[in-house]
Amino acid sequence: LGAGVMVMSIAALVMTGRAVNLAFVLAALFTVISAIPVIFYASCVRLRGGMYTQAAVFVGNVFSGFYIVQYVFSNMSMAMYAIGLTSYLVSLFPGLAPYSMWSNFAVLTVFFVLNFFGTEWMARVQDFMFYILIAALLVFTAFGLPQVHWAGYFGNELFGRPLIEHGLMGLFQASAFLTFATGGATVIVNMSAEAINPQKDIPFVTIVSTVGVAILYALMATVIGGVLPPEEVMAAGNLAPIAKAIMPTPLYYFFVIGGAGFALGTTLNATIGWVTKPIMQACEDGWFPRVLATLHPKFNSPYYLLAIFYVTNLLPIFFGLDVSTIGNWVLLLGN
């Protein structure tokens, strides 16, 4: 929750202007429709290999093998979250700007090390960050909505721009881009092997979380598009200027650390937690060497696979790729 709106909403603002709130709603609709097979199938059986198992059962072994090979590279999104988190840290501590690459490296390393100690530790940290994150996002929404320029929001005069700035093509482009931001609940199927009651909980989580996130994101996107001229927001590349304009200073710091920081932190943490599960099953099926799925004797974590994803996500950081490029690359491979 939160990483998409914190990182990807600015790129979506470029694509469609103030209609980014409509794009979030459309993205959630696309997500729920595409998740229908997951909802029905997960309600019947425990998917030990998550989306990989789904691919194997519905399409066949050859396709599932193709899927799991590209899966490694389509999860470069973890680098995107680390880069986004660093951008917010730089807004608080401008002195970090010359060291952004090393800050990205440090953020990614901390969360991979945390997940090395197993799901239980990951879940404890996740719970702590989650409640602070929810409070920060609600504060942003509550302070921002009254300061939106409602008089011209739905017309063509606010900031001298139309509501849907680049027509329907731009709106659908942004909606497709934002499916990555609203699709987080669908990946919970990859935790099917560890869920206590996956047949009941996973379909429920997929639907309720996606709808809930869409409503919250649409309200936040209204603030993003309706408080400051888009040039100011795009130049910053994050929501910090808006937060600074609508909140008292103490709440601004709370939002940047507890909202932006924990939104990206929780998503990065959760992604590292589930990303190895489909590949563990693929190792048992022979697509990769079985030794890669070896669990640590004490922490029960797949440390070889964690190391592979760690190195893979270091590549876009050291090559200097930006959030938009990584997001489009990941979506292209995944879809």
Side-chain angles (χ1 to χ4, degrees):
L1 173 67
V5 74
M6 294 294 180
V7 174
M8 305 182 80
S9 58
I10 309 301
L13 187 66
V14 175
M15 296 173 188
T16 192
R18 293 193 306 281
V20 67
N21 51 7
L22 301 178
F24 268 117
V25 174
L26 281 174
L29 178 63
F30 295 157
T31 297
V32 171
I33 291 172
S34 66
I36 287 174
V38 177
I39 292 167
F40 281 107
Y41 194 53
S43 69
C44 299
V45 296
R46 183 186 290 270
L47 294 166
R48 190 171 181 271
M51 292 180 176
Y52 163 78
T53 301
Q54 180 189 349
V57 171
F58 280 125
V59 191
N61 290 332
V62 174
F63 176 80
S64 66
F66 176 83
Y67 168 80
I68 205 64
V69 170
Q70 67 78 35
Y71 174 88
V72 177
F73 299 99
S74 67
N75 278 286
M76 284 183 178
S77 56
M78 290 178 278
M80 180 175 69
Y81 303 139
I83 292 168
L85 202 159
T86 296
S87 78
Y88 281 97
L89 290 176
V90 168
S91 69
L92 281 183
F93 309 106
L96 287 175
Y99 310 103
S100 292
M101 185 183 74
W102 294 109
S103 298
N104 297 334
F105 168 77
V107 167
L108 193 70
T109 301
V110 165
F111 281 100
F112 267 94
V113 169
L114 172 66
N115 277 267
F116 170 77
F117 292 104
T119 304
E120 184 179 349
W121 276 101
M122 180 274 281
R124 287 180 182 176
V125 174
Q126 193 80 350
D127 284 347
F128 169 74
M129 291 192 292
F130 172 76
Y131 291 110
I132 296 176
L133 163 62
I134 287 292
L137 296 185
L138 292 176
V139 165
F140 179 88
T141 306
F143 274 83
L145 286 176
Q147 299 186 53
V148 170
H149 300 288
W150 292 108
Y153 191 93
F154 296 102
N156 294 326
E157 61 274 11
L158 182 59
F159 306 127
R161 295 167 178 262
L163 174 64
I164 305 177
E165 191 163 341
H166 300 294
L168 289 178
M169 184 60 72
L171 177 62
F172 284 118
Q173 182 186 3
S175 300
F177 182 70
L178 292 174
T179 55
F180 192 87
T182 57
T186 60
V187 298
I188 195 67
V189 72
N190 289 328
M191 299 295 282
S192 182
E194 287 153 306
I196 294 172
N197 189 3
Q199 289 93 333
K200 175 184 176 184
D201 295 340
I202 287 178
F204 177 82
V205 164
T206 301
I207 297 171
V208 174
S209 294
T210 302
V211 173
V213 162
I215 294 170
L216 178 59
Y217 282 7
L219 293 174
M220 292 184 67
T222 303
V223 177
I224 293 167
V227 172
L228 293 180
E231 294 82 3
E232 293 184 30
V233 183
M234 293 173 193
N238 57 50
L239 307 186
I242 303 174
K244 201 166 192 175
I246 64 176
M247 297 177 186
T249 301
L251 285 179
Y252 164 71
Y253 283 104
F254 173 69
F255 172 76
V256 173
I257 297 171
F262 284 8
L264 293 157
T266 53
T267 303
L268 177 56
N269 190 40
T271 302
I272 298 171
W274 59 254
V275 74
T276 59
K277 310 306 180 186
I279 293 199
M280 291 178 68
Q281 182 64 47
C283 289
E284 291 193 18
D285 291 347
W287 288 109
F288 300 106
R290 283 177 176 261
V291 67
L292 294 181
T294 302
L295 298 179
H296 190 278
K298 181 177 180 181
F299 303 117
N300 212 33
S301 57
Y303 53 97
Y304 287 133
L305 291 177
L306 286 173
I308 290 172
F309 279 106
Y310 175 63
V311 172
T312 303
N313 278 272
L314 284 178
L315 294 177
I317 288 176
F318 287 133
F319 278 107
L321 300 183
D322 59 24
V323 165
S324 181
T325 301
I326 299 172
N328 280 309
W329 171 258
V330 167
L331 276 172
L332 175 66
L333 285 174
N335 287 330

